[in-house]
Amino acid sequence: MSGPASFALPTHSPARASRIEVRGPLAFARSHLFPTRTTGIATLILGAMVAVALWHILRWSIIDAVWYSPDGSAACRTAMGACWAVIAEKYRVILFGTYPYDQQWRGVAIVAVWLGWGVVSATNWLAVGTRLAGWTIVYVGSIVLLAGGVLGLEPIGTDLWGGLPLTFVIFGGTVAGGLPLAVLLAIGRRSQLPVVRLLCVATIEGVRGIPLLALLFFAALILPLFLPPELSVDKLIRAEIGMIVFFAAYAAEVVRGGLQAIPEGQDEAAQALGLGYWLRMRKIVLPQALAIVVPALFNDIIRAFKNTTFFSILGLFDVLGATKAALQDPEWVRYGTEGYLFVFLLYFLICSAMSRYGASIEQDNQSRLRRAV
Amino acid sequence: MKRSSVIPGAAPMVPLWRQPRVRALVWQVALVVALLAIAVWLVTNARQALDERGMTSGLGFLFNAAPFALGEAFFSFRPGSEYIDAIAVGLGNTVMLSLLSIVTATVMGALLGFARLSRNVLVAGLAGAYIQAFRNTPQLVQIVFWYSFFTLMPGPRQSWSILDLAFASNRGLMVPAPEDGGVFLAVVAMLVVGALLAFGISRLADRHRRRTGRRWKLQKVAEITAFLLPAVVTWLVAGAPSAWSVPELKGFNFVGGATLAPEFLAIYFGLSFYIAAFIAEIVRGGLVSVDAGQIEAANAIGLSRSDLYRKVMVPQALRVIIPPLAAQYVSLVKNSSLGVAVGYPDLFSISNTVLTYSGRTIEVLCIMALIYLALSLTIGAAANVLNRLVQIPER
């Protein structure tokens, strides 16, 4: 028995309709929300739950909310919804802490300049060097303005600094002080000298292994014991040292990743040209390594911003510490949830903006790499 | 200019201070001497400061009686016990809290990571919103928010009831609990043992199938039996206790059930929900990193969707997921120290109390830091072992 001569169909197969891509909101909903019956039902149930939750949130936060309560918290006590009047009452304390009331225009100026320069820096209008120089001026200017004592400004001690200006100054100091230290630790970890390598590894791993809070307590409680009495350092600066070291230990590992990504040939070529160690690092290796790691560093920078809240545990009045203090008021103590939601939103906006910017740099980097290939 | 006459074959005379080896040695010796000098200077200062304040040093204080009481958590502490007991209680509370939070954060994070990749835009959108909200805000703000949320809830009489079984009020969350807590824990532990047994059986069955091409007919039955049997036997041996204690409002407070204090809830939610958002991003990144060709190949040979995930995607994603996941676990354990902000008696806040009462700032802080360091290094080492297990052996 032999098989058929051909397995092909003896007739033409009917022409199939071309796949027409249906567009529009209905088609999108169909393919992304109701592709099959079971997922469709699941979507409906989930959608209903979300709608109910959103309705409750809307009613609590907007419809039944009290926005303004002129005589104490009386209007809030009978309300069913949120008491946003606590923000209207306490926003000066939340945003500027215990800074003297009539001098708080300085805080406003600092916050405005930081936000303004932040927006300018996020664009490509100015060269990177100009932007960084601008940040240096903004930072030094902020400290001078907060401290006063020059240009006829009333001097104000660091114990009275607070709120968003303090948060910004802590954050700026952490990044400005931490990045150079991180670079030094990273190149030290790859050094040829065993003693230097060992020291850097021990510092990085030791600091990364303990909580930031422990490091801040070390700086706040133990540092003064180890320094001679005539060299007493301000509490704010001591805590800042802890922040800088912690940030540097994490950032050092990121920078090390960048250093490892640079081909050996770059350094060898520079050696062949007779460049010394520091010159090679400064002109050849670091510029390339840092360019690679900027997006990854942004994660650490955002974390440094979030970590400024740890200062509230040391009894300093950053935004969170100031909010805690503001909500101690027995008149408003019952509306803590609203107060902290406001702080939550404040941090969310700033951190989201930074994380968006970090993602955009990463995209720029990738498209540049693709062009280069 | 006159050329130096170098004899071929002989090393040119390089001055001593231009030789790399000599320079390296000099620099390192100088560094060590400088560091030693700074250390001696610091210690002398500390010695002097301690003497001036009439403070003594040493670790002997650990065995003195501690005059303070501590809040209730997993382990309790009687006033009058030794300082070292207080630190041990803190360590126990930190470890239990961290374990519980790690499990919660991992489960939530894995679910969110899968949800983020769902084709259903509603599911993906919700997961995305959660991740954005919890990633982009400080953990401490979240912890303080939860604490204020729970302490500002209405009193027990106006508590929020969940099916009349659990009650949320300003005293915390009252949940039903088994009357016999010891047996319950033993049964849960046996379920874990059973899960490990079932996993072992499935590995054996896989190996058998790969060698012979045949499935074990009773594989499913064997796995389910192995999973349930130890727990059921334990439960029966203990006399099959089935009574649950349900919280009930009596007078001004609840009786029965178990109480989850606001302090615990705040730090537990703060740790789990924050880290879950980061784990979700790691899981999503791991799943996306699996080569598209692998998924197409799995579809082409007709693997079911669950097999596609179980046998193809997850094993490959794990290689990418485990190292950053371990870093998140370390971060979770370290940030459990934020319990001090809400008065949860963890290692950090108890150390803080101990140093206040004993006055041994340096010793207590160093002990605490060393314990945290040991915890971090343990997680790191465990992750390294696990990572080696999931690496695909390269030929």
Side-chain angles (χ1 to χ4, degrees):
Chain A
M1 277 274 289
S2 62
S6 163
F7 286 98
L9 283 177
T11 56
H12 293 289
S13 52
R16 280 179 293 178
S18 72
R19 277 185 62 160
I20 299 168
E21 208 179 319
V22 190
R23 285 162 190 250
L26 262 180
F28 179 85
R30 190 182 193 119
S31 64
H32 287 88
L33 289 171
F34 309 101
T36 64
R37 190 173 295 172
T38 39
T39 47
I41 291 171
T43 302
L44 279 182
I45 295 174
L46 187 65
M49 280 160 61
V50 171
V52 170
L54 278 182
W55 168 242
H56 275 286
I57 293 172
L58 189 73
R59 228 175 53 184
W60 178 79
S61 64
I62 312 252
I63 300 174
D64 289 346
V66 177
W67 297 87
Y68 181 59
S69 176
D71 37 297
S73 59
C76 283
R77 253 170 249 152
T78 49
M80 294 296 292
C83 174
W84 300 119
V86 64
I87 310 297
E89 175 74 22
K90 296 289 182 194
Y91 77 97
R92 294 278 289 246
V93 186
I94 293 176
L95 293 180
F96 303 112
T98 46
Y99 208 72
Y101 197 82
D102 56 333
Q103 297 292 325
Q104 284 179 4
W105 60 268
R106 300 194 208 170
V108 177
I110 290 169
V111 172
V113 170
W114 276 74
L115 294 181
W117 195 248
V119 170
V120 171
S121 301
T123 63
N124 283 329
W125 298 340
L126 298 172
V128 175
T130 320
R131 286 185 241 170
L132 289 178
W135 277 117
T136 316
I137 295 169
V138 168
Y139 187 67
V140 175
S142 304
I143 291 177
V144 170
L145 199 55
L146 271 181
V150 288
L151 301 172
L153 290 170
E154 189 188 322
I156 288 164
T158 55
D159 51 329
L160 291 177
W161 295 10
L164 212 47
L166 178 64
T167 293
F168 282 165
V169 164
I170 299 168
F171 167 65
T174 308
V175 176
L179 277 181
L181 188 56
V183 170
L184 284 181
L185 282 172
I187 59 178
R189 192 167 182 166
R190 287 165 57 84
S191 164
Q192 303 283 329
L193 313 178
V195 173
V196 176
R197 202 165 54 226
L198 192 75
L199 273 174
C200 291
V201 171
T203 312
I204 293 173
E205 297 301 331
V207 170
R208 279 160 53 97
I210 63 174
L212 171 58
L213 212 44
L215 204 61
L216 290 182
F217 268 57
F218 268 111
L221 298 179
I222 294 194
L223 204 59
L225 285 179
F226 280 96
L227 292 178
E230 63 273 14
L231 206 78
S232 76
V233 186
D234 189 85
K235 184 179 180 185
L236 186 63
I237 297 174
R238 272 182 284 156
E240 187 69 39
I241 292 173
M243 287 285 279
I244 288 174
V245 172
F246 191 78
F247 174 79
Y250 272 87
E253 289 297 272
V254 177
V255 174
R256 184 165 71 111
L259 291 174
Q260 277 170 351
I262 305 300
E264 283 285 300
Q266 294 284 328
D267 194 42
E268 283 161 8
Q271 277 182 24
L273 290 175
L275 298 188
Y277 179 78
W278 290 108
L279 206 55
R280 281 192 328 263
M281 284 294 151
R282 218 154 46 82
K283 295 284 182 189
I284 311 291
V285 180
L286 281 176
Q288 301 185 61
L290 290 179
I292 298 176
V293 298
V294 165
L297 270 179
F298 244 81
N299 286 334
D300 284 285
I301 291 175
I302 295 171
R303 185 166 44 202
F305 188 76
K306 293 192 285 185
N307 283 348
T308 55
T309 51
F310 281 50
F311 275 48
S312 69
I313 294 179
L314 295 177
L316 293 159
F317 295 101
D318 74 305
V319 174
L320 184 62
T323 310
K324 270 186 183 169
L327 293 169
Q328 297 283 319
D329 183 348
E331 181 82 15
W332 298 98
V333 73
R334 294 172 54 206
Y335 308 102
T337 311
E338 286 87 340
Y340 290 122
L341 274 179
F342 176 73
V343 178
F344 191 91
L345 196 67
L346 191 65
Y347 278 105
F348 176 75
L349 289 177
I350 297 175
C351 293
S352 299
M354 282 199 283
S355 114
R356 280 281 159 81
Y357 178 60
S360 79
I361 305 180
E362 184 160 20
Q363 256 165 16
D364 284 0
N365 259 6
Q366 271 166 3
S367 59
R368 193 164 46 239
L369 279 179
R370 238 174 279 132
R371 267 207 306 279
V373 167
Chain B
M1 198 176 152
K2 217 170 109 184
R3 288 233 175 129
S4 63
S5 54
V6 176
I7 307 154
M13 272 306 287
V14 178
L16 218 53
W17 66 90
R18 309 269 317 166
Q19 285 180 16
R21 204 176 287 174
V22 177
R23 286 167 63 120
L25 194 71
V26 170
W27 276 118
Q28 294 185 76
V29 169
L31 187 64
V32 171
V33 169
L35 283 176
L36 277 180
I38 292 175
V40 167
W41 180 68
L42 289 176
V43 170
T44 329
N45 282 333
R47 196 66 266 167
Q48 202 179 345
L50 289 179
D51 285 345
E52 271 169 22
R53 290 168 213 199
M55 287 153 77
T56 48
S57 51
L59 292 174
F61 78 96
L62 284 173
F63 302 100
N64 295 349
F68 49 79
L70 295 170
E72 285 289 317
F74 291 97
F75 300 94
S76 44
F77 176 77
R78 269 184 310 108
S81 305
E82 293 164 358
Y83 279 113
I84 195 168
D85 288 342
I87 293 176
V89 165
L91 174 61
N93 286 338
T94 290
V95 169
M96 290 300 289
L97 170 71
S98 303
L99 282 178
L100 214 57
S101 304
I102 281 176
V103 172
T104 315
T106 309
V107 173
M108 279 181 70
L111 290 177
L112 284 165
F114 277 100
R116 189 84 190 81
L117 291 174
S118 166
R119 262 177 299 183
N120 190 324
V121 281
L122 186 59
V123 174
L126 280 177
Y130 175 94
I131 294 169
Q132 288 298 324
F134 282 82
R135 244 168 72 99
N136 280 332
T137 44
Q139 199 171 13
L140 187 55
V141 171
Q142 295 180 24
I143 291 171
V144 174
F145 168 79
W146 288 120
Y147 187 61
S148 121
F149 178 80
F150 282 112
T151 46
L152 291 174
M153 288 198 86
R157 279 157 168 268
Q158 288 94 39
S159 61
W160 296 5
S161 155
I162 303 159
L163 299 174
D164 270 343
L165 286 174
F167 300 90
S169 70
N170 59 4
R171 309 282 173 94
L173 189 64
M174 317 285 158
V175 290
E179 293 272 7
D180 201 334
V183 174
F184 180 74
L185 279 184
V187 168
V188 170
M190 281 300 141
L191 277 180
V192 175
V193 171
L196 289 176
L197 275 178
F199 180 70
I201 289 177
S202 86
R203 287 293 286 262
L204 280 179
D206 267 5
R207 192 182 292 171
H208 174 80
R209 190 164 63 122
R210 239 173 283 149
R211 229 184 18 240
T212 63
R214 288 202 193 93
R215 281 174 193 278
W216 279 355
K217 277 194 193 123
L218 293 176
Q219 186 194 341
K220 279 268 156 59
V221 181
E223 280 174 22
I224 293 171
T225 319
F227 176 53
L228 292 178
L229 197 64
V232 172
V233 167
T234 315
W235 184 61
L236 287 177
V237 165
S242 62
W244 281 70
S245 156
V246 176
E248 215 180 326
L249 187 63
K250 285 250 174 79
F252 290 101
N253 206 348
F254 288 94
V255 285
T259 306
L260 304 176
E263 292 81 23
F264 169 76
L265 290 172
I267 184 77
Y268 171 60
F269 283 10
L271 289 176
S272 317
F273 292 177
Y274 179 80
I275 298 289
F278 284 85
I279 292 182
E281 283 294 272
I282 292 170
V283 168
R284 187 186 69 98
L287 290 173
V288 168
S289 77
V290 176
D291 188 47
Q294 295 277 329
I295 299 164
E296 285 160 8
N299 285 334
I301 61 171
L303 283 194
S304 68
R305 212 167 159 73
S306 75
D307 271 351
L308 164 69
Y309 277 116
R310 237 155 43 91
K311 309 265 173 178
V312 179
M313 288 187 74
V314 170
Q316 299 192 60
L318 272 183
R319 291 178 302 155
V320 184
I321 288 175
I322 285 181
L325 189 64
Q328 289 303 325
Y329 288 168
V330 171
S331 151
L332 188 151
V333 171
K334 291 196 301 173
N335 282 349
S336 67
S337 59
L338 291 175
V340 72
V342 293
Y344 176 78
D346 72 315
L347 178 60
F348 190 90
S349 57
I350 288 186
S351 302
N352 199 15
T353 314
V354 168
L355 79 83
T356 313
Y357 277 89
S358 69
R360 308 295 172 87
T361 316
I362 301 175
E363 292 88 341
V364 176
L365 278 181
C366 286
I367 292 172
M368 176 191 71
L370 284 178
I371 296 177
Y372 275 114
L373 194 59
L375 288 177
S376 306
L377 293 178
T378 312
I379 295 176
N384 276 342
V385 171
L386 199 61
N387 204 25
R388 219 167 298 139
L389 286 180
V390 298
Q391 287 304 324
I392 291 173
E394 302 276 348
R395 272 184 290 253

